[in-house]
Amino acid sequence: MDTFLEQLPIVIHSLNTGFLQTMKLFFVTLLGAVPLGLLISFGTLSEFAPVRVFLNLLIWVVRGTPLMIQLLIIYYFPGLVLKNPVWGGGEAGRFAASAVAFVINYACYFSEIFRGGIISIPLGQDEAGMVLGMTKTQIFFRIKLLQMIKRILPPMSNEILTLVKDTSLARIIALQEVIWAGQAFMKGSQGISGAIWPLFFTAVYYLACNGLLTLLFNRAERKLEYFR
Amino acid sequence: MHILEVEHIGKSFGRTEVLKDICFTLEKSQVLSIIGSSGSGKTTLLRCLNFLERPDHGIIRVAGRTLFDAADEEKQKESEIRKNRLHFGMVFQAFHLFPQYTALENVMLARQLQAKKRADYKSAKKEILTEIRTEAESLLAQMGLSNRMKNYPHQLSGGQCQRVAIARALAMKPDILCFDEPTSALDPELTGEVLKVIRQLAEQRTTMIIVTHEMSFARDVSDQVIFMNDGYVVEHGTPDQVFEHPREDRTKQFLGKF
Amino acid sequence: MIKKMISMALMATLCLSMTACGSGSGSTSKDSGKSVQSDADSGQSGDNGNAQDGSSAESDKAAVVDKGTLVVGITDFEPMDYKDENGNWIGFDADMATAFAESLGIKAEFVEIEWDNKALELSSGNIDCVWNGMTLTDEVKGSMNCSNPYCNNAQIVIVPAEKASEYQTVDSLNGLNFAVEVGSAGETQAKEHGLTYTAVSNQAGALMEVAAGTSDAAIIDSLMAAAMVGEGTSYDQLTYTVGLNSEEYGVGFRKGSDLKDALDEFFKASYADGTMQKIADTYGVQAALIAQ
């Protein structure tokens, strides 16, 4: 397999498989971290001090330690310390552990963005809702949520683009995402060995994905331009 | 029967006593104006009536029913208070319209949410929603905003926004409509259009409480005037009594500035 | 040992602060035997299948047999472990591991791991052995229970082909900047020979350093060099010159595991009946094979 054209279909197939894993982790994280982050942000705004203190401690620990260490702890801790390797050695277990680590980590970052969004909305919106007899839930979902989304869109798009790239950290616990797939050809895989270009080629996947996301975010921002 | 009875209302923020033993009554279809300098407690009084602040002492009755009693915990439950709020409508100084909704949607929103709780909502959904819409449209028309229904708040002038806010409050059919300095955030040339609408409501016999700095308007439109100072009701009477023949020095001093 | 204890303690502290919302299963069985047993429903329980309270040395083989699969930690490493066209793992190590698992009456499951974390993978129980052309260094022997050596290997020097003639002896290497895989046998050799080096994340990375000119030379496994350097690879401008040592490959199990003895027995038997040589022949490593 020495010519580039012979290598190309094999490499692309392998990178596609890896990128599927990258995307899976990305979407699962997003689906889990957005609602969890919203709950955490409510908690940090709660009037009940123990909840507030606990969540602020959690946010401090999660934001204050590297995601890579969190991945290692979540994947290896059950087996090493509890003597119960709940995740198992297979791919599904590694994915599940990665997803848990990413959801917790990103929920903490999201929660701070959400909190900022919530407190930036003038109190008058709450009061206007209250005097019209609305419940707190109705006020949040019918009045504040959309205004909050409009305000947090720019920082969220930042965080989400970072998430796409951060998924590559999961290779520390051998989740076979796209960079792992690209790197495999450097050492030798499927009859192609010592090929450097697949690793660099993975950048194209990230770029394409983030390009698409940027377009989506721009579109969302334009859609919300109808009000101020 | 009095439509509103306020008895011995007191309220403190920390160590500052903002309202001291406020008592007054209001009859149906009457207009009450509350005047006084900034910090005299008039806005806090209005916010207490709408339960945006909870009074520390006192009782509030509407049409003979006790809505709030500081001595009765049962009357202070969130759900209880939410229901009782609807006896009062509130128009804020800074409008507080919902920016993501059109003028019409602003007026309809709370009614629509309220309608969902009705037992016949599922069966008569269409009729109910049409009714809400028709009423909202006629309220906006009454405010002179027929051609502005589809506009968002940022596309409206301050005076138009405040008129939408009035329509939004009226849509809930409150017993008493409260205004918190409704023209203070407006340019002088826009003040007139809002005052005109309030005057029109007074002619239609709407029960209203108006906190205002517009003295001549208060004198014109009110049946009763309260002058507040330092958390107390200092002077209470007809416009003629308060404006022409004030008894207290503090009232004379205040009115002398105008 | 002390270093290990400190890092474990640190990890435990960090974990404590995270468990609240972490792994979901707070306090479960303390015994590795129990938890694996619950996965495997029945059948295949060996003679001491219920050894729950014994030490791990007594229970490891039984526990693995009980759950029905031998989880083999590997990397994609031709000719030892690599995928065929159908995506199945083959190679000298993979075939031997499959045969070993069969001899226990169970299946081998291959799991790619991050090579740096091999000891962690093993002791946390996510895999049952490391079987991937692993050089038996003191560090490896200290952290795992290792089988008898089965293959010879050497650490050799890789340089650009056009400079190869200048670097044919060990003495000529002084003054070069080397790239080696972190924690590898190659790094040990660079240290022992007093060479200047940069540690990179893997052997392929070391080669890339040389190809890119950011390092002058690299030190990697001879078995790997045969597959990765020279004609027909991306590194056809590189070549290998001096060998720095000779070393041996072995298989790593958990500390105190009785699977090591079972594998040593299995190696002896399959060397005696010639199956081991036949498999070695298939993958071109027969010359490196060590008699059992």
Side-chain angles (χ1 to χ4, degrees):
Chain A
M1 297 265 188
D2 23 28
T3 77
F4 176 77
L5 280 178
E6 278 173 312
Q7 292 177 352
L8 193 63
I10 298 170
V11 170
I12 294 294
H13 178 259
S14 186
L15 293 188
N16 284 347
T17 312
F19 194 63
L20 205 67
Q21 194 76 310
T22 298
M23 283 292 95
K24 234 170 85 188
L25 182 57
F26 169 73
F27 281 113
V28 168
T29 304
L30 211 54
L31 248 55
V34 167
L36 183 62
L38 202 55
L39 280 180
I40 295 176
S41 69
F42 288 151
T44 54
L45 291 168
S46 142
E47 278 157 27
F48 188 52
V51 171
R52 232 173 32 231
V53 169
F54 170 76
L55 288 176
N56 281 322
L57 208 66
L58 174 77
I59 292 173
W60 170 60
V61 170
V62 170
R63 294 200 309 170
T65 55
L67 178 50
M68 189 185 276
I69 297 292
Q70 291 163 18
L71 280 160
L72 290 173
I73 289 172
I74 285 180
Y75 185 60
Y76 294 115
F77 178 82
L80 277 180
V81 184
L82 307 176
K83 298 292 172 218
N84 181 12
V86 286
W87 304 112
E91 221 174 306
R94 286 168 200 272
F95 180 82
S98 307
V100 167
F102 269 84
V103 166
I104 293 173
N105 185 280
Y106 269 82
C108 284
Y109 279 96
F110 287 169
S111 79
E112 284 297 277
I113 296 179
F114 295 159
R115 192 172 64 88
I118 293 170
I119 60 179
S120 75
I121 294 171
L123 201 61
Q125 294 289 308
D126 281 278
E127 294 188 344
M130 286 193 301
V131 297
L132 291 169
M134 295 188 201
T135 63
K136 286 210 158 114
T137 322
Q138 288 172 336
I139 292 173
F140 180 76
F141 285 103
R142 294 310 193 99
I143 300 175
K144 288 159 79 177
L145 184 61
L146 196 65
Q147 296 183 46
M148 173 184 140
I149 289 173
K150 185 181 166 82
R151 277 163 219 232
I152 64 173
L153 221 44
M156 279 301 278
S157 81
N158 243 343
E159 211 58 48
I160 287 170
L161 295 195
T162 305
L163 168 61
V164 174
K165 296 172 286 174
D166 268 4
T167 52
S168 61
L169 283 171
R171 50 186 298 283
I172 193 72
I173 56 170
L175 184 79
Q176 294 170 30
E177 42 68 68
V178 65
I179 289 192
W180 175 290
Q183 220 165 24
F185 293 106
M186 288 171 69
K187 218 165 55 181
S189 178
Q190 301 168 67
I192 300 169
S193 55
I196 310 164
W197 68 270
L199 175 63
F200 294 106
F201 193 70
T202 59
V204 175
Y205 284 80
Y206 289 105
L207 205 56
C209 175
N210 275 345
L212 196 70
L213 283 172
T214 307
L215 287 177
L216 283 174
F217 272 109
N218 288 345
R219 202 164 172 194
E221 274 187 43
R222 266 202 313 279
K223 271 209 146 170
L224 292 180
E225 259 168 22
Y226 76 90
F227 71 90
R228 264 180 227 149
Chain B
M1 196 198 313
H2 305 298
I3 186 81
L4 174 66
E5 292 161 87
V6 172
E7 289 177 12
H8 309 294
I9 289 288
K11 173 76 188 170
S12 302
F13 292 121
R15 286 203 191 142
T16 324
E17 247 188 298
V18 192
L19 295 179
K20 298 161 191 164
D21 200 34
I22 307 286
C23 301
F24 67 88
T25 57
L26 184 65
E27 307 309 314
K28 197 165 164 37
S29 304
Q30 279 201 342
V31 176
L32 166 69
S33 289
I34 305 176
I35 58 172
S37 51
S38 308
S40 59
K42 49 195 195 313
T43 292
T44 307
L45 175 58
L46 211 56
R47 289 172 62 82
C48 280
L49 293 179
N50 282 279
F51 308 109
L52 292 174
E53 306 290 351
R54 212 154 294 186
D56 302 325
H57 315 283
I59 293 172
I60 298 172
R61 264 189 223 108
V62 169
R65 250 191 76 220
T66 305
L67 297 191
F68 181 88
D69 183 350
D72 186 357
E73 293 282 330
E74 274 297 300
K75 294 269 176 227
Q76 299 186 42
K77 275 194 297 195
E78 186 61 38
S79 55
E80 189 79 1
I81 283 188
R82 200 173 54 245
K83 253 188 291 160
N84 292 338
R85 264 198 190 111
L86 290 175
H87 290 283
F88 297 89
M90 178 76 163
V91 175
F92 299 92
Q93 183 180 344
F95 334 136
H96 300 325
L97 293 182
F98 308 132
Q100 72 268 41
Y101 294 116
T102 61
L104 184 63
E105 288 165 343
N106 261 279
V107 178
M108 296 191 301
L109 179 67
R111 283 289 302 280
Q112 286 168 339
L113 294 174
Q114 204 181 31
K116 283 187 182 170
K117 298 239 169 63
R118 280 171 58 165
D120 60 346
Y121 183 66
K122 277 209 176 117
S123 52
K125 188 173 172 184
K126 220 172 163 192
E127 291 77 17
I128 293 172
L129 290 181
T130 312
E131 186 197 324
I132 292 173
R133 187 183 197 90
T134 316
E135 282 183 27
E137 282 170 350
S138 94
L139 277 170
L140 283 168
Q142 198 187 329
M143 296 296 130
L145 293 168
S146 294
N147 55 346
R148 291 294 188 186
M149 294 193 197
K150 294 272 159 56
N151 287 106
Y152 289 94
H154 77 273
Q155 298 165 325
L156 301 173
S157 73
Q160 289 168 333
C161 280
Q162 194 59 298
R163 284 185 279 153
V164 174
I166 294 169
R168 182 175 70 174
L170 284 170
M172 304 310 291
K173 301 178 179 144
D175 295 323
I176 302 154
L177 183 56
C178 303
F179 293 82
D180 183 15
E181 303 188 25
T183 58
S184 295
L186 299 177
D187 293 338
E189 68 239 56
L190 299 176
T191 305
E193 63 185 63
V194 172
L195 293 184
K196 199 179 123 202
V197 163
I198 300 175
R199 204 182 296 265
Q200 191 186 314
L201 289 173
E203 281 157 15
Q204 292 164 4
R205 318 283 291 154
T206 313
T207 317
M208 295 189 281
I209 300 176
I210 307 169
V211 168
T212 184
H213 288 299
E214 300 284 336
M215 292 307 148
S216 55
F217 173 74
R219 189 189 330 204
D220 260 21
V221 84
S222 311
D223 301 294
Q224 284 187 57
V225 176
I226 283 178
F227 170 66
M228 281 184 73
N229 188 50
D230 197 25
Y232 286 107
V233 172
V234 175
E235 196 101 28
H236 183 184
T238 62
D240 186 59
Q241 281 168 345
V242 175
F243 287 105
E244 308 302 335
H245 312 288
R247 280 166 300 165
E248 305 290 329
D249 288 345
R250 187 67 192 87
T251 320
K252 289 174 196 159
Q253 202 187 336
F254 174 77
L255 290 171
K257 288 179 194 154
F258 291 89
Chain C
M1 193 60 201
I2 288 174
K3 220 168 98 186
K4 201 180 158 195
M5 279 170 67
I6 292 175
S7 62
M8 284 287 287
L10 263 176
M11 190 149 174
T13 338
L14 263 172
C15 286
L16 278 176
S17 49
M18 297 188 61
T19 31
C21 56
S23 57
S25 76
S27 59
T28 28
S29 155
K30 272 160 126 193
D31 190 314
S32 62
K34 253 185 216 162
S35 62
V36 255
Q37 244 165 12
S38 60
D39 294 333
D41 23 17
S42 66
Q44 290 302 351
S45 23
D47 39 0
N48 51 353
N50 284 327
Q52 285 179 5
D53 298 313
S55 73
S56 66
E58 280 166 330
S59 64
D60 201 32
K61 181 182 164 193
V64 167
V65 168
D66 250 14
K67 73 178 157 138
T69 47
L70 176 74
V71 183
V72 185
I74 58 167
T75 69
D76 198 332
F77 179 20
E78 209 177 327
M80 310 312 272
D81 292 302
Y82 62 103
K83 274 183 186 162
D84 67 8
E85 278 152 14
N86 303 320
N88 297 318
W89 289 101
I90 55 166
F92 178 61
D93 281 347
D95 286 9
M96 287 300 291
T98 306
F100 174 58
E102 265 169 29
S103 81
L104 296 173
I106 56 176
K107 277 198 168 147
E109 181 193 344
F110 295 94
V111 170
E112 281 191 85
I113 59 166
E114 177 69 35
W115 194 242
D116 294 349
N117 297 338
K118 52 187 178 296
L120 209 51
E121 292 277 352
L122 207 52
S123 47
S124 65
N126 290 316
I127 60 172
D128 299 317
C129 61
V130 180
W131 200 328
N132 191 231
M134 179 173 65
T135 303
L136 296 170
T137 60
D138 289 344
E139 224 174 305
V140 163
K141 285 188 220 160
S143 59
M144 307 175 195
N145 197 17
C146 295
S147 73
N148 291 331
Y150 63 89
C151 228
N152 280 310
N153 183 36
Q155 292 300 315
I156 57 167
V157 172
I158 307 288
V159 291
E162 80 263 17
K163 291 188 188 152
S165 55
E166 298 168 41
Y167 303 113
Q168 294 293 340
T169 64
V170 175
D171 293 336
S172 65
L173 303 175
N174 282 319
L176 291 182
N177 286 314
F178 281 86
V180 296
E181 180 186 21
V182 61
S184 70
E187 184 175 8
T188 315
Q189 285 307 309
K191 259 185 217 159
E192 269 177 23
H193 288 85
L195 301 170
T196 317
Y197 69 89
T198 309
V200 296
S201 64
N202 54 42
Q203 299 204 13
L207 288 180
M208 191 167 79
E209 290 268 326
V210 185
T214 46
S215 292
D216 301 319
I219 302 170
I220 67 168
D221 287 5
S222 62
L223 276 167
M224 189 179 211
M228 290 185 60
V229 170
E231 295 283 315
T233 70
S234 283
Y235 299 115
D236 52 5
Q237 76 278 35
L238 303 182
T239 190
Y240 40 91
T241 59
V242 240
L244 297 175
N245 74 332
S246 74
E247 57 189 33
E248 296 159 339
Y249 284 167
V251 180
F253 296 97
R254 257 181 291 284
K255 292 227 101 188
S257 170
D258 51 351
L259 281 167
K260 170 216 174 331
D261 301 321
L263 179 62
D264 286 344
E265 286 301 313
F266 173 77
F267 273 162
K268 263 190 205 122
S270 67
Y271 192 82
D273 68 12
T275 27
M276 199 168 178
Q277 292 88 322
K278 227 173 93 191
I279 297 174
D281 248 9
T282 316
Y283 297 104
V285 298
Q286 68 280 10
L289 202 64
I290 295 173
Q292 300 291 315

